[in-house]
Structures are given as structure tokens and as C-alpha cells.
Amino acid sequence: MTTSAIVSDSRPDLLDLEPDAALSVLRAWFAERGEPAYRATQVLGRLWQKPVAAFAEMSELPMALRDALDASFRLTNLELATQQTSKDGTRKFLFRLEDGQFIETVAIPDGDRLTFCISSQAGCALQCAFCATGAMGFQRNLRPSEIAGQVRALRMLEPPLIPTNIVFMGMGEPLMNWKAVSPTLTLLNDPRALGIGARHITISTVGVLPGIQALAERPEQFRLAISIHAPSDELRRSLMPVNIKYPLADVIDAAKAFDRRVTFEYVMLGGVNDQPEHAAQLGQLARECRAFVNLIPLHPGGSMGFVPTAQPVIASFARALRDRGVETAVRRSRGLDIAAACGQLRTERVGRRLPVTPQHDGEVHVAQ
Ligand code: SAH
């Protein structure tokens, strides 16, 4: 490694810092150079609100300052490796990270909403049986600059994509990367950064209890979605190994204790979890938690031996839940023509020998 590479690696990345922290680092840095404090605010504005890829493009700053900033700080950029657009307007982006990892982001338009489905980890450790990610295994946690950075990167497109909603339903388990996800939530929400309302930001989790607790302690109204997928411990254990560590009853208690309404996600697996008795059990749990249920058709690609539940069976399952007073939505599949399940782009690009990544499709309904 050359000396310059070591120096460049050691530069702190302003994109990993929450706005207050970034401002105080920048104010101190400008003060040392006898520059006014408003310069710090100018730089912050160019990180997230009107983002630029490099200090060199911060045209409101004198050139010498741009060079000096570049010598002191990193600005991580996600390299757009490839993208696809569906007939229905859904767009998938594959980003290459500095160390060669690939992650995916999906942009789903729906009326006047634009939802970004973002990744929080490269790979995933949880090995849910129906999720293609299991085969890939866990690669590494993403940093805030790489999670919020997905939104930043799409804002830098021409024309820019500006999301109204964010869901953590891409690759990875966000509550197993709370150290980075917590500052990311601040970056997504803070008006000095990405300025997305907390109620428009949804964390999806298998039920990592300490993470749910940490999320509950945040004062903002971020939304929580829990991947339930089975209404009994026995079935859930067979589909989601994490149920051994965090059993269903404890997850349900955490959902009850959460001070905002939660959404239950439930992937419909033909003949496995879609029978009338499952609807009865799920309806009971959802009522106890006053949860909103989101039924997710299994994505056809890479379904690991599972078959999708037929549409009329999904409809009657939904009816059975509604008859029990549970608010229920059936998620619409989107972007099927572009292999919009997360992981498929990566697989096409990187090759079949690499493990595949999680699936994601469609319309996302969360409790209002
Ligand atoms: N780890 C988090 C977030 C990532 S997955 C979680 O599990 O909640 C986001 C959602 O996509 C989860 O509900 C997951 O179960 C679902 N999913 C995974 N594989 C799927 C598939 N093949 N078809 C449809 N949804 C799937």
C-alpha cells in the first residue's frame, strides 16, 4: 500500500456523520483555517440536499478550500453498476461498493408516491427458507454513507429521483446493523439532510428484539414492520431459524409494547402457511397487537422450492383476516418483467456462481 493510499483511507467520511456531528467537525475545520462558520452549512447542503459527487463540484466554495476539504475528508460514492426499468415504472439499481460488494436499491412509483426499497447489509445472516438471500450468507454491514448513500446516489441522477417513502426491505436485516441504521434514520429524516418524514420511513425486521427496543426509544415516529410469515413457533422455526433466538411469543410481546401501530408482513407460501387455520391463528395475533397485515405474494424468481399461493386463496385468506377485524392488504407485484426481486440483477451481473440476494416485490403497504 502506498503512503497516499494510507492517508486517503484515514480521511473521515462526512457522509457517515449525522448533521450535528458533520457540522461540528466542519465548523472546527473551517475555524482552524480562519473561515466563517457558514461555510460548514454550505458544505452540509451539498452532501444531501443538493448533493454533489465531489468537493470539487461545490462551486460556492473557493477552489483552494475545495482542494483542502478533499485532502481532509472522504465522500463515499456508490458506483452505479447497472440498472433496469420495468414497464410499470419500477426501477432497480445495482451499486458497487468500494470493496467490490454489490447492493441493490429499488425505486417503486405509485401515483404521487415514490418508494425506495434500500439495503442495510451486503448479504444476510438469517437464512429464511424462502428468501434467496440465505444462499448468499452474510458479507458485511453497510455504513451510513452506504445506506443513506443509496438515496443520495439516486438524487444525483439526471433527472434526480426524490423518494417520498423509504422501506428497509432490500438486502439485509436492518436491526442487526443498528449501529449504522440509527444514524441513517437521522440522515433520512433530518431536514438538513434528506428530509423524509419519519412516518414515511419503515424498518422491516424478522423481530430482532434489542433492535425493536432501540427503535422504540427513538422519539421520531418511524414505522416498524415485522416479518411474521408463520403464526406458530413450530412452523416459524422451520421457515425462519431466527425464531429459535427470538421466539414468536416474544416478538408478539415486542409488537404489543411498541408505542406505534406495527405492520405484520406475511409471505404467502403455497400449502405451507396459507391454510384457513393459519388465517385464524394469524388473525388472533394481529388483533392482540392491533397490527396491520400485509400479505405478500411469493416472488416467482428463486423461490427455493416453495410455490406461490394461488390468487383466489390469497383473497380468501385476506377475507378471513378482515372478518376477524384485522386490517389487511395484499401487496401487488411490481417490476416482474425486469426481475425486480432483489438479487436478480446482482446475479445476472456477477454470475450464478455467487450466492443470490433477497427478494423484494412490489407495492408496500404499512400501517397508517
Ligand atoms: N430482514 C428484513 C428486511 C429484508 S426482507 C426482514 O426480513 O423483514 C424484506 C421482506 O421481503 C421480508 O418480509 C421478507 O420476508 C420478504 N421476502 C423475502 N423473500 C421473499 C420472496 N421470495 N418473495 C416475497 N417476499 C420475500
Side-chain angles (χ1 to χ4, degrees):
M1 201 187 252
T2 65
T3 312
S4 72
I6 291 165
V7 169
S8 97
D9 281 351
S10 68
R11 292 177 304 166
D13 191 334
L14 293 175
L15 299 171
D16 281 324
L17 303 178
E18 296 181 14
D20 284 336
L23 278 177
S24 70
V25 166
L26 284 165
R27 283 197 188 113
W29 187 91
F30 280 115
E32 263 174 38
R33 285 157 184 82
E35 292 284 335
Y38 73 82
R39 293 277 187 219
T41 317
Q42 281 181 319
V43 172
L44 183 64
R46 293 308 222 143
L47 300 182
W48 303 103
Q49 285 177 337
K50 291 187 179 166
V52 288
F55 292 108
E57 294 170 42
M58 295 185 182
S59 48
E60 58 274 67
L61 300 176
M63 199 59 91
L65 276 181
R66 296 185 225 171
D67 289 344
L69 280 164
D70 191 49
S72 297
F73 302 107
R74 290 168 61 186
L75 279 190
T76 292
N77 283 300
L78 308 188
E79 181 196 326
L80 184 54
T82 182
Q83 61 166 308
Q84 290 184 315
T85 303
S86 160
K87 287 199 294 272
D88 68 18
T90 301
R91 293 174 73 180
K92 261 185 85 90
F93 302 88
L94 183 72
F95 291 110
R96 186 181 190 280
L97 307 180
E98 284 168 331
D99 61 351
Q101 292 291 337
F102 287 90
I103 56 166
E104 296 183 346
T105 310
V106 185
I108 308 159
D110 183 28
D112 53 9
R113 297 198 325 187
L114 179 62
T115 300
F116 284 4
C117 176
I118 64 173
S119 298
S120 56
Q121 298 180 316
C124 186
L126 296 173
Q127 315 238 326
C128 298
F130 50 85
C131 181
T133 263
M136 175 182 190
F138 176 70
Q139 309 288 321
R140 71 170 172 88
N141 280 326
L142 302 184
R143 305 192 310 265
S145 55
E146 296 167 325
I147 311 174
Q150 294 162 59
V151 181
R152 184 180 123 90
L154 299 187
R155 277 179 91 118
M156 288 195 290
L157 293 179
E158 196 49 61
L161 285 183
I162 314 270
T164 58
N165 295 68
I166 301 283
V167 294
F168 283 75
M169 295 183 187
M171 298 167 65
E173 168 50 52
L175 296 185
M176 289 186 51
N177 185 16
W178 181 249
K179 190 166 162 256
V181 166
S182 182
T184 297
L185 289 172
T186 306
L187 288 168
L188 292 170
N189 178 237
D190 193 307
R192 297 166 298 173
L194 293 163
I196 301 160
R199 290 162 184 269
H200 295 184
I201 300 171
T202 300
I203 310 290
S204 177
T205 178
V206 294
V208 176
L209 299 177
I212 293 177
Q213 181 66 36
L215 181 63
E217 282 166 14
R218 297 258 335 207
E220 306 93 333
Q221 300 281 299
F222 298 118
R223 294 191 184 279
L224 174 64
I226 304 180
S227 292
I228 296 286
H229 303 324
S232 69
D233 266 320
E234 196 190 356
L235 181 57
R236 196 166 188 264
R237 233 183 351 250
S238 74
L239 297 173
M240 303 172 70
V242 73
N243 193 76
I244 295 164
K245 182 154 189 197
Y246 301 121
L248 186 59
D250 294 349
V251 174
I252 295 297
D253 282 346
K256 281 185 202 158
F258 200 72
D259 66 347
R260 290 152 253 163
R261 194 163 177 208
V262 304
T263 296
F264 284 179
E265 290 165 278
Y266 198 90
V267 175
M268 301 295 290
L269 305 168
V272 174
N273 67 353
D274 60 354
Q275 302 300 301
E277 69 265 25
H278 299 128
Q281 290 171 300
L282 179 63
Q284 175 63 32
L285 295 177
R287 276 174 65 114
E288 282 173 28
C289 302
R290 295 194 321 102
F292 179 99
V293 173
N294 200 351
L295 299 178
I296 309 171
L298 180 70
H299 200 284
S303 45
M304 326 280 285
F306 292 93
V307 294
T309 298
Q311 214 288 318
V313 178
I314 298 183
S316 60
F317 196 94
R319 219 168 18 247
L321 291 172
R322 291 188 190 117
D323 287 348
R324 288 175 170 78
V326 175
E327 222 180 309
T328 305
V330 180
R331 197 183 286 178
R332 222 162 9 111
S333 285
R334 298 282 301 270
L336 294 174
D337 56 324
I338 56 160
C342 281
Q344 295 183 351
L345 248 193
R346 182 194 148 114
T347 307
E348 278 170 17
R349 169 82 179 206
V350 184
R352 293 276 159 198
R353 71 198 155 68
L354 272 181
V356 287
T357 54
Q359 302 243 332
H360 168 82
D361 65 345
E363 175 74 344
V364 175
H365 297 273
V366 293
Q368 294 303 311

